[in-house]
Amino acid sequence: MRKENGAQPENKMGIMPVNKLLISMSLPMMISMLVQALYNIVDSIFVSRINEYSLRAVSLAFPIQSLMIAVSVGTAVGINAFLSKTLGERDFDKVNRIAANGIFIELMSYIVFALIGIFVSRPFFASQTSIAEVREYGTVYLTICCTASLGIFMQVVFERLLQSTGKTFYAMIAQGAGAVTNLILDPVLIFGMFGMPRMGVAGAAAATVIGQMVAAVFAIVFNLKFNKEIHLSVRGFRPHKELIFQIYKVGIPSIVMQAIGSVMTYGMNLILEAFGAAQTVFGIYFKLQSFIFMPIFGLNNGMVPIIAYNFGAGSRERVLKTMKSSIVYAVCIMLAGLAIMMLIPGRLIGLFDTGETADLLVIGVPALRTICLSFCFAGYCIVVGSVFQALGNGVYSMIVSIARQLCVLLPVAWLFSLSGNVDLIWWAFPIAELVSVSLSTFFLLRIHKSTIRHIGENRTA
């Protein structure tokens, strides 16, 4: 890497060929995201061996878990984009202050969710189901996941610090360590193997939070040892309002965008309650689709710092090439996912053997085949939304998400539910995705005109 003025060497995000850079930064994150998706699926497979109610309880807990991830990851997106842009501007003192303030607000977020776990878990489940067993399983599971969630908040922020400087390999190792820990502990704690007590659903929650803590420890150590572009110190730290505002300028739209998914999931669970096992099928779908969507998110994690860095460095050509390559890769991944769900939906559902698999297949096979039609456009929409965030205009992503999930998906699903035919409800997903692709394209053209085409003009003027 080149050095400027004898100072810090130039980051590879500004000089490495774009395709090679995108693959080298994204591939480790895609692998780690796949491992993470795998342990999410395996977690539910083990829980399904207890009974169908335990699987339903874990599925109904998803909106709060998703909200927790939305806050942690959304905040980290703001940190990542702001920090990478500042690296491109080569203001290294500011980089350190951004990192410290980012860690601080993630800690504050953990405290909020610990309180949610203590006070909200039981009423949350009571609002979704009248089945006592589901309520009890769910309350135990969600309380543990929230009150012991420090690991996920620290894991996410320290992994994003690694990603923002291009060190995605270390982020992959941290995520992988957490995922493997979870996979090993799941059967041990759920079924009481090797002398451990049989904890059931509580064991699944304990395995999850322990895995998150292991990943956090790895990510912290890697930052302190290998991330030389960021110098972390608590000495003399004071929260900086302007830096926190800049983080949340991108982070809040990302949080809202992902939190909307929690609202949508909660609303769908309420709509599907009248259709019995449809709630469980919906939960199974979310576990399965994560295996397809997680690689896209890994791709985005590699793409965002590249675009943000080159935006800050004034390189329009590298921004455009990164964006176009990412869209092509994302669409290919989603088409592969579409083929899998179309061809073997029964086998996928059969992985979750609750003892009532026949009932799940009747509802689940048409559900998967209908919902996956939305995959045709989803890859493009996800990448374009992340481009908006990388360029500091996350509001566009938020508008698209609100329109797709709250203005179209839920109302259409509710209207179709009035027919009494559960198969019609699933069509709300591809219909909503059509709206998403239209809005995403409109905003992409707008941001190209207002921002992308002007990148680097001040430097060449």
Side-chain angles (χ1 to χ4, degrees):
M1 293 188 293
R2 300 191 302 265
K3 288 191 176 184
E4 296 182 2
N5 303 323
Q8 289 271 2
E10 184 167 340
N11 193 284
K12 67 179 181 180
M13 290 187 287
I15 57 176
M16 184 182 288
V18 168
N19 265 316
K20 181 179 179 181
L21 175 65
L22 181 62
I23 292 172
S24 68
M25 287 188 61
S26 298
L27 192 59
M29 296 313 303
M30 292 169 74
I31 293 171
S32 65
M33 289 288 193
L34 275 171
V35 173
Q36 191 173 32
L38 177 63
Y39 86 69
N40 283 334
I41 290 174
V42 172
D43 187 73
S44 292
I45 289 173
F46 283 127
V47 168
S48 71
R49 273 25 180 204
I50 302 172
N51 56 46
E52 196 263 334
Y53 285 159
S54 63
L55 178 59
R56 188 179 302 188
V58 171
S59 299
L60 293 180
F62 182 77
I64 295 291
Q65 287 183 293
S66 179
L67 181 62
M68 183 162 54
I69 293 171
V71 172
S72 60
V73 173
T75 302
V77 166
I79 297 167
N80 197 348
F82 188 22
L83 199 150
S84 293
K85 182 174 181 290
T86 307
L87 276 171
E89 296 166 345
R90 308 190 68 75
D91 187 344
F92 297 104
D93 179 63
K94 188 176 179 181
V95 164
N96 298 333
R97 289 185 284 120
I98 293 169
N101 279 272
I103 295 167
F104 169 75
I105 55 181
E106 291 278 15
L107 281 169
M108 296 301 101
S109 300
Y110 157 68
I111 293 172
V112 171
F113 277 93
L115 294 173
I116 289 174
I118 295 168
F119 297 109
V120 178
S121 295
R122 188 168 295 277
F124 174 74
F125 273 91
S127 71
Q128 295 185 92
T129 180
S130 58
I131 301 172
E133 293 96 323
V134 176
R135 289 185 181 185
E136 290 306 312
Y137 283 137
T139 299
V140 169
Y141 180 82
L142 191 57
T143 300
I144 294 172
C145 286
C146 287
T147 55
S149 62
L150 179 61
I152 186 63
F153 286 96
M154 291 300 96
Q155 172 190 348
V156 167
V157 68
F158 280 98
E159 284 177 357
R160 289 309 189 277
L161 294 182
L162 290 166
Q163 292 167 23
S164 65
T165 58
K167 296 173 179 62
T168 54
F169 175 78
Y170 295 111
M172 179 190 74
I173 297 298
Q175 278 199 344
V180 170
T181 300
N182 192 332
L183 284 170
I184 293 172
L185 290 181
D186 257 332
V188 173
L189 298 181
I190 291 172
F191 303 114
M193 300 169 64
F194 306 113
M196 297 295 292
R198 183 183 178 93
M199 298 174 65
V201 170
T208 296
V209 297
I210 293 171
Q212 291 166 353
M213 291 174 187
V214 168
V217 170
F218 271 82
I220 291 169
V221 170
F222 287 152
N223 267 281
L224 296 175
K225 190 170 182 179
F226 300 113
N227 209 355
K228 303 302 183 184
E229 290 169 284
I230 299 175
H231 300 284
L232 299 172
S233 175
V234 296
R235 184 178 299 173
F237 171 76
R238 294 288 186 278
H240 192 289
K241 288 190 293 185
E242 179 59 29
L243 293 180
I244 291 174
F245 171 79
Q246 290 298 324
I247 289 170
Y248 276 132
K249 184 179 178 181
V250 174
I252 285 180
S254 181
I255 291 169
V256 171
M257 184 177 66
Q258 295 182 70
I260 287 166
S262 298
V263 176
M264 182 276 291
T265 306
Y266 181 75
M268 283 296 295
N269 282 330
L270 295 180
I271 291 169
L272 295 172
E273 184 182 9
F275 298 90
Q279 279 186 331
T280 306
V281 166
F282 186 54
I284 289 173
Y285 160 74
F286 259 96
K287 295 294 182 180
L288 293 172
Q289 62 95 33
S290 69
F291 203 72
I292 300 164
F293 279 79
M294 282 295 189
I296 309 294
F297 298 146
L299 175 67
N300 281 353
N301 287 338
M303 177 195 73
V304 166
I306 297 172
I307 290 181
Y309 182 97
N310 286 284
F311 177 38
S315 179
R316 179 173 64 248
E317 182 182 354
R318 290 178 68 83
V319 168
L320 286 170
K321 192 165 184 180
T322 302
M323 181 180 70
K324 291 175 182 177
S325 296
S326 298
I327 290 173
V328 171
Y329 296 147
V331 170
C332 291
I333 292 169
M334 294 307 297
L335 290 178
L338 170 67
I340 292 170
M341 282 208 175
M342 277 291 186
L343 293 173
I344 55 169
R347 291 185 182 180
L348 295 175
I349 294 170
L351 295 172
F352 303 86
D353 184 9
T354 65
E356 301 177 14
T357 307
D359 294 336
L360 295 179
L361 288 173
V362 171
I363 298 175
V365 169
L368 295 190
R369 284 181 170 157
T370 301
I371 296 173
C372 75
L373 293 174
S374 63
F375 293 0
C376 296
F377 311 108
Y380 165 82
C381 294
I382 292 170
V383 169
V384 169
S386 293
V387 169
F388 298 154
Q389 294 166 3
L391 296 175
N393 210 325
V395 172
Y396 286 169
S397 304
M398 182 178 69
I399 293 172
V400 173
S401 189
I402 290 173
R404 174 184 174 271
Q405 300 187 81
L406 300 188
C407 299
V408 180
L409 199 157
L410 279 181
V412 171
W414 176 75
L415 286 172
F416 285 170
S417 73
L418 299 179
S419 70
N421 182 356
V422 69
D423 291 342
L424 284 179
I425 296 174
W426 313 120
W427 282 99
F429 286 87
I431 291 171
E433 206 62 51
L434 289 173
V435 173
S436 179
V437 73
S438 301
L439 279 176
S440 296
T441 301
F442 171 76
F443 285 128
L444 179 59
L445 293 173
R446 186 169 180 174
I447 203 170
H448 182 272
K449 183 178 180 180
S450 65
T451 303
I452 295 175
R453 67 186 294 182
H454 300 296
I455 293 174
E457 287 183 355
N458 292 336
R459 292 177 176 249
T460 58

